[in-house]
Amino acid sequence: MRWESLREYRSRAGQADRRGDSGWTPPADVSETEDAFIVVAELPGVRRADVDVAATHDTLTIRGHRPDPGCEPACYVRLERGHGQFVRRFTFPGRLSVDDVQADFRDGILTVTLPKSPETRGRRVEVG
């Protein structure tokens, strides 16, 4: 693997930004229970005020911004943690109960609970 100087990295990252790519993509886990979908995203270094969560009938969108670390290029030996704007979008099968969505942000971890709409949950049918 060829070593890339910080100047080359920033140049390539700047080109990606001009293409409209986000500066970084926070990792997220999505799980499902009988009643809800749960999205857990890692957002270290992001302030609560810099996170926006929006839900529609079948989609969750998480937007935010992690500030530039603020060090001149000469002080870095390696720069791997991304910064800048990010957007994550998740689409779910069936309808969500948008009015009941809850989001909790603690210690850099965002947990969004998206209850399923009653018609999406299904029901148990007794066999006679």
Side-chain angles (χ1 to χ4, degrees), residues 17 25 36 62 81 88 119:
D17 287 343
T25 302
I62 303 170
R81 297 183 322 122
R88 292 297 314 262
E119 63 265 16

Side-chain angles (χ1 to χ4, degrees), residues 20-119:
D21 297 341
S22 65
W24 66 293
T25 302
D29 295 333
V30 180
S31 59
E32 179 180 10
T33 67
E34 187 175 319
D35 299 327
F37 293 99
I38 301 160
V39 177
V40 179
E42 294 180 4
L43 304 174
V46 177
R47 298 178 311 165
R48 181 184 312 261
D50 292 334
V51 177
D52 179 55
V53 176
T56 66
H57 70 279
D58 70 345
T59 304
L60 169 69
T61 303
I62 303 170
R63 297 177 192 276
H65 177 265
R66 182 161 61 188
D68 185 313
C71 187
E72 292 297 318
C75 70
Y76 285 111
V77 173
R78 185 176 190 100
L79 181 63
E80 293 184 356
R81 297 183 322 122
H83 56 275
Q85 302 290 330
F86 67 87
V87 177
R88 292 297 314 262
R89 189 166 286 116
F90 304 90
T91 302
F92 301 95
R95 295 186 66 79
L96 302 172
S97 182
V98 177
D99 293 335
D100 299 318
V101 172
Q102 296 179 342
D104 181 52
F105 189 67
R106 219 176 269 168
D107 298 329
I109 303 293
L110 174 68
T111 303
V112 183
T113 304
L114 304 118
K116 297 175 183 176
S117 181
E119 63 265 16

